[in-house]
Amino acid sequence: MRPLERMRKEWFMIGIVLAIGAAKLEPSVGVNGGPLKPEVTVSYIAVATIFFNSGLSLKTEELTSALVHLKLHLFIQVFTLAFFPATIWLFLQLLSVTSINEWLLKGLQTVGCMPPPVSSAVILTKAVGGNEAAAIFNSAFGSFLGIVVTPLLLLLFIVRRYIKDWLERKQPPFGTVSSSVLLMIIYTTFCDTFSNPHIDLDKFSLVLILFIIVSIQLSFMLLTFIFSTRNNSGFTPADTVAIVFCSTHKSLTLGIPMLKIVFAGHEHLSLISVPLLIYHPAQILLGSVLVPTIKSWMVSRQKGVKLTRPTV
């Protein structure tokens, strides 16, 4: 991961902590009807800005560069948007008999339904030296599938076509804009939580959810690795890297606005959002830690393939 990109993500993680802390100290500022007027600024302006910004920053022309690898794309999309949420649902049936906060469990289900992020999976795949084109395609296409029912996004693709040259020349700070707006959404969401005396989040549930999320990520990364490295899989080591990261990562940038829309006005929205807020930094941390190991494996496998090729 590039130093500038790593620094931006680190500051964003710090921003999440500060936003939640500020909401805890003075929740009246960001509650509905408060000075920030989140019922307007967040529900309409901030959410629209997130999707508008995502649509403009998505280079749709890059989707066509990796279209031919249909088997790889089908594997990632089916795993991300079908197998992942279905498995989480089955797992939650077992957890429903425990004492874990039910709204955190519902939040865990929403994590399973989220599309992949456009950034982190691609960055980690590139850092390892994997199939970057496939990672770009599946991250972008997966994000598109996640919000295909939103007419606004279709409009954004049209807008981007007309201002493509300007975007490539000026290179607006899409990441900074999305992060700033996202922090505002997180802040106002937790203002509602801390201003509601009927909501109580026990530490036991929070610790268990953290453990479950890390376990899910590691298990799914291992599962996708095993499936994609079988002898008859047809995937190269570089493909496997893209599969491991793209199939298991979930988008916070698109996820939080979606939750804000789907659960608008719900008193437990912040609790439902907690698993996604945990999943996002966890996937980046785990991915960064595993980059050297995965890169070493990929290089050794590629060398092995070269050695077994017959010489002419």
Side-chain angles (χ1 to χ4, degrees), residues 53-297:
N53 192 62
S54 297
L56 290 180
S57 61
L58 184 60
K59 297 182 178 180
T60 52
E61 62 271 15
E62 290 180 343
L63 300 180
T64 58
S65 67
L67 269 174
V68 293
H69 208 332
L70 296 179
K71 184 178 179 181
L72 172 63
H73 308 325
L74 184 62
F75 180 95
I76 292 176
Q77 297 305 323
V78 169
F79 190 95
T80 303
L81 299 174
F83 180 83
F84 200 122
T87 303
I88 294 296
W89 181 83
L90 290 173
F91 184 49
L92 291 181
Q93 303 312 300
L94 300 175
L95 293 179
S96 62
V97 299
T98 67
S99 59
I100 300 176
N101 186 290
E102 65 170 312
W103 297 105
L104 288 180
L105 294 180
K106 291 181 186 298
L108 197 56
Q109 182 64 75
T110 65
V111 170
C113 298
M114 290 299 156
V118 179
S119 56
S120 61
V122 176
I123 292 168
L124 290 170
T125 299
K126 185 175 182 179
V128 173
N131 191 333
E132 186 181 357
I136 290 173
F137 175 86
N138 283 282
S139 294
F141 188 59
S143 295
F144 170 76
L145 287 179
I147 49 178
V148 68
V149 295
T150 308
L152 179 60
L153 187 61
L154 298 178
L155 174 63
L156 299 182
F157 287 134
I158 297 172
V159 171
R160 192 181 197 285
R161 183 183 306 169
Y162 290 105
I163 59 174
K164 173 184 172 184
D165 293 337
W166 179 85
L167 289 173
E168 293 180 349
R169 185 172 65 255
K170 296 295 185 180
Q171 296 185 338
F174 293 116
T176 302
V177 172
S178 289
S179 296
S180 301
V181 176
L182 203 54
L183 288 175
M184 179 184 177
I185 295 176
I186 293 170
Y187 168 70
T188 55
T189 297
F190 277 86
C191 280
D192 285 334
T193 296
F194 296 132
S195 64
N196 189 335
H198 302 294
I199 294 180
D200 181 34
L201 177 59
D202 60 289
K203 294 180 181 179
F204 175 74
S205 293
L206 194 59
V207 171
L208 274 183
I209 286 293
L210 175 60
F211 174 76
I212 290 169
I213 285 175
V214 173
S215 299
I216 287 173
Q217 288 190 16
L218 288 174
S219 299
F220 280 3
M221 290 179 79
L222 178 61
L223 188 62
T224 52
F225 179 82
I226 292 173
F227 271 113
S228 61
T229 53
R230 293 177 302 169
N231 291 333
N232 60 346
S233 68
F235 298 127
T236 66
D239 291 340
T240 294
V241 173
I243 287 172
V244 167
F245 288 128
C246 292
S247 298
T248 59
H249 280 214
K250 296 294 183 177
S251 175
L252 178 70
T253 304
L254 298 178
I256 291 296
M258 284 183 188
L259 293 180
K260 195 73 178 179
I261 293 172
V262 175
F263 297 98
H266 201 294
E267 65 173 350
H268 293 99
L269 173 59
S270 58
L271 294 184
I272 295 173
S273 305
V274 165
L276 184 57
L277 291 173
I278 295 175
Y279 196 98
H280 178 73
Q283 71 187 7
I284 295 174
L285 179 61
L286 281 176
S288 300
V289 169
L290 291 173
V291 159
T293 302
I294 297 176
K295 186 172 185 178
S296 176
W297 168 83

Side-chain angles (χ1 to χ4, degrees), residues 12-27:
F12 180 61
M13 298 307 163
I14 295 172
I16 290 178
V17 175
L18 292 176
I20 296 175
K24 175 67 174 176
L25 290 174
E26 192 55 59

